Amino acid sequence: MSLVRVIVLGNEAAGDDGAALAAARIAAAGGAFELLLAGRPGVALLDLLDTGAPVVLVDVVRTGAPPGALLEVPLEVILDRALASSPASSHGFGPAEVLALGGSLGRALPRGVFLGVEGARFEAGAPLTVGVELAVPALAAAIRRVVEALGRNTCTSTG
Amino acid sequence: MSAEEKVYQVDLLTRVEGEGSFYLRVREGVVEEARLSIFEAPRFFEALLRGRSMFEVPDIVARICGICPVAYQMSALAAIEGALGVAPSPEVRALRRLLYCGEWIESHALHVFLLHAPDFLGYPSAVEMAKDHRAVVERGLSLKKAGNALIALLGGRAIHPVSPRVGGFSKVPRRRELLGLRDALQRGLDSALEAVRWTASLPVPDFEQDYVFVALAGGDAYPLESGDRIAVSGRADVPVADFETHFVEEQVPHSNALACRLADGTPYLCGPMSRVNHHADKLHPLAAAALREHGPPLPVRNPYRSIVVRAIEIVHAFAEALDGIDAYVEPERPFVEVTARAAIGAGATEAPRGLLWHRYQLGADGLVVDARIVPPTSQNQARIEEDLRGVAPALLALPHEAATRRCEQLIRAYDPCISCATHFLRLRIDRAGEEVPS
């Protein structure tokens, strides 16, 4: 059985953009999964998604919800919902563009779940906003829960 | 805007790293204003380095860029080790060159296939281009992956590597680990040779400029991770340590990046075109053959052709990496011990985008007293603006949208890394006649 792969995006030096990474570090304690703190991988995210294992992709999102609100959707749904990010992503390849590029290339997404936490401010050097900081433990718990569920399903499917 | 005035502008450049724009105003055929504006906020890395241990510098400067972190590490190490009189072993130097090859591969592959190619094929982005030219994009991703794998093995991870340290590496690979990459690199070399043929077939606008080409020099190898001189076309070489005497940075009102020129005010160009024009005789034989058969005649003076030169440098990097793996001898010690002392040192290497110069002043305790970093994009900034002026006459015959795209394509030919370019502005405050440096 393949370990569930948890891919975490963000930048800890850019305010709330570090929230997913902070949650993943908490979730990693005692967790049995492959953790990739990917930061801003650009198009290399396609390589990270190229796996036979179930995937949990964790990132900070902006949907208009209150800061700290959690989002959980199947991975394939995020492809339709993701909007092009600001060009601050590495050479214009943020996760939305990378997922779209994978779609254009006909690359299938792995089975998995996208977990997001709503961010509010992303200035360099800024701390997490209060609402986002309060949500970090809940996001860590969500990572563990989703990993366990995906792992259980993997066991079932492989007998 | 009057009937005689034409303005070309893009408020947010895409397919470049960071946030910038351009503005070109032409009145009655005469360029009145050409600006490359970089409005991404400075990140104050030079100030951040002050007071930190010299051993922390490679890890800190790697964070300046996610595309070319090795370049920042190598320039910093060249400067610090030069200051302290440290000479890493030949095996360590070869390993650093191998690591740098990985960065050239991944950075150039990203630019050639995903950032610049859409301009030549008429697409707004690689995402759109991939729908019709899947093989082209897959080739770029495959090449980039091979470069990343090399960095990950030598550097400990693909982005922001952690193993380069003052005096050498914290950990070096086993020979069998490097051999494990050989097949992928050989496939990459074959694919890169095909990429040279493909890029050479792309339609290129006629546009040549009279550039001053600037590239690292010294030694017998194609410039990469070391060099003690800087070659400047039409002038005498400049010792790396004397960079600040011959090159000046100035603040311009429209940009958060300092614009660099020769001391007499001449803008200059650094990067792949400068390297190949100065050092074509030092290319790996396979890359030299590709240049002869498919490349533009030298000197290359058309920036739109830089896509071919980058493809040739990808060939060079793959070929040199394969040679490096075959010749690899595991160092007896991954690093030499370094003793702190008060010293000043400058170092330069060739980042994928061009010359990257660092200078550090170290205290007796090994802490950084002062740091200065001059990245290639800030060196090219004034030259990009000159190119916009130069291309203006040809734009007047084009529809406005096509002319604007031509300008964007020209700027992207430099593969500008705007996030790298924004760096610390030295302020001088004049209070009642008293100058107070910041």
Side-chain angles (χ1 to χ4, degrees), chain B residues 22 51 53 95 123 126 203 250 299 306 316 330 412 432:
Chain B
F22 82 87
S53 164
L95 211 47
Y123 292 89
E250 60 178 8
S306 64
H316 175 90
E330 201 171 313
R412 285 192 201 101

Side-chain angles (χ1 to χ4, degrees), chain B residues 93-412:
Chain B
R93 293 207 306 272
L95 211 47
R96 285 181 176 173
R97 208 170 159 86
L98 189 55
L99 174 64
Y100 220 142
C101 283
E103 180 159 288
W104 271 27
I105 292 167
E106 62 90 11
S107 178
H108 278 357
L110 175 71
H111 186 260
V112 167
F113 292 94
L114 284 92
L115 304 179
H116 212 194
D119 286 326
F120 292 85
L121 297 176
Y123 292 89
S125 71
V127 174
E128 293 303 312
M129 188 178 79
K131 294 172 185 171
D132 298 330
H133 298 275
R134 181 175 171 177
V136 169
V137 175
E138 289 287 10
R139 168 170 286 149
L141 292 172
S142 168
L143 292 173
K144 182 172 164 48
K145 188 175 182 178
N148 279 345
L150 193 52
I151 298 173
L153 177 59
L154 298 181
R157 59 187 185 191
I159 302 171
H160 309 312
V162 291
S163 66
R165 55 155 288 165
V166 177
F169 284 86
S170 57
K171 181 175 183 281
V172 294
R174 309 306 304 262
R175 181 170 167 74
R176 60 177 166 72
E177 292 178 301
L178 277 173
L179 288 173
L181 292 179
R182 206 183 183 295
D183 287 350
L185 293 172
Q186 183 62 56
R187 287 194 299 275
L189 174 59
D190 296 340
S191 182
L193 285 164
E194 181 56 39
V196 173
R197 290 188 279 274
W198 177 73
T199 54
S201 73
L202 295 170
V204 173
D206 287 329
F207 177 67
E208 294 212 337
Q209 294 285 280
D210 188 17
Y211 293 101
V212 172
F213 297 109
V214 169
L216 192 62
D220 298 329
Y222 198 69
L224 186 56
E225 96 298 351
S226 69
D228 58 358
R229 293 178 288 112
I230 299 167
V232 184
S233 52
R235 305 175 190 223
D237 287 1
V238 173
V240 165
D242 295 346
F243 178 91
E244 290 164 300
T245 308
H246 297 264
F247 302 86
V248 292
E249 283 187 301
E250 60 178 8
Q251 186 179 356
V252 288
H254 54 271
S255 180
N256 284 342
L258 300 179
C260 215
R261 295 173 183 266
L262 297 181
D264 65 7
T266 307
Y268 62 93
L269 179 139
C270 61
M273 275 171 53
S274 290
R275 287 192 292 257
V276 82
N277 285 332
H278 277 295
H279 300 294
D281 60 323
K282 294 173 185 143
L283 281 168
H284 189 281
L286 289 173
L291 174 65
R292 274 195 311 275
E293 291 169 28
H294 306 288
L298 300 181
V300 192
R301 295 188 184 280
N302 182 339
Y304 294 102
R305 289 200 181 279
S306 64
I307 191 170
V308 188
V309 179
R310 278 194 183 83
I312 289 166
E313 287 197 334
I314 296 174
V315 170
H316 175 90
F318 270 114
E320 187 173 327
L322 284 163
D323 288 352
I325 287 174
D326 291 342
Y328 179 61
V329 177
E330 201 171 313
E332 283 186 23
R333 292 185 304 163
F335 60 90
V336 293
E337 294 293 343
V338 176
T339 305
R341 64 179 170 85
I344 297 176
T349 68
E350 282 287 344
R353 286 154 200 83
L355 188 73
L356 173 57
W357 186 86
H358 287 216
R359 178 180 54 73
Y360 295 92
Q361 180 183 352
L362 305 172
D365 51 6
L367 301 184
V368 175
V369 176
D370 192 37
R372 187 164 176 225
I373 297 171
V374 183
T377 294
S378 65
Q379 296 182 68
N380 281 332
Q381 187 178 342
R383 189 56 250 185
I384 292 172
E385 291 175 343
E386 283 299 306
D387 274 8
L388 287 172
R389 291 178 180 277
V391 81
L395 302 180
L396 301 177
L398 296 174
H400 192 272
E401 193 178 327
T404 304
R405 283 200 305 270
R406 181 74 59 87
C407 293
E408 287 185 274
Q409 183 179 5
L410 176 60
I411 294 169
R412 285 192 201 101

Side-chain angles (χ1 to χ4, degrees), chain A residues 11 38 40-44 46-47 50 86-93 97-98 100-101 104-107 124, chain B residues 12-13 15-19 67 110 114-115 126-127 130-131 134 137-138 141 144-145 148 159 353 415-417:
Chain A
N11 179 354
R40 292 169 55 185
V43 292
L46 280 179
D47 297 333
D50 185 14
S86 87
S89 299
S90 291
H91 286 266
F93 285 100
E97 291 87 353
V98 173
L101 182 62
S104 293
L105 294 170
R107 293 195 183 188
Chain B
L12 193 57
L13 287 164
R15 283 184 273 137
V16 298
E17 165 66 22
E19 297 172 16
I67 306 296
L110 175 71
L114 284 92
L115 304 179
V127 174
K131 294 172 185 171
R134 181 175 171 177
V137 175
E138 289 287 10
L141 292 172
K144 182 172 164 48
K145 188 175 182 178
N148 279 345
I159 302 171
R353 286 154 200 83
D415 191 11
C417 194

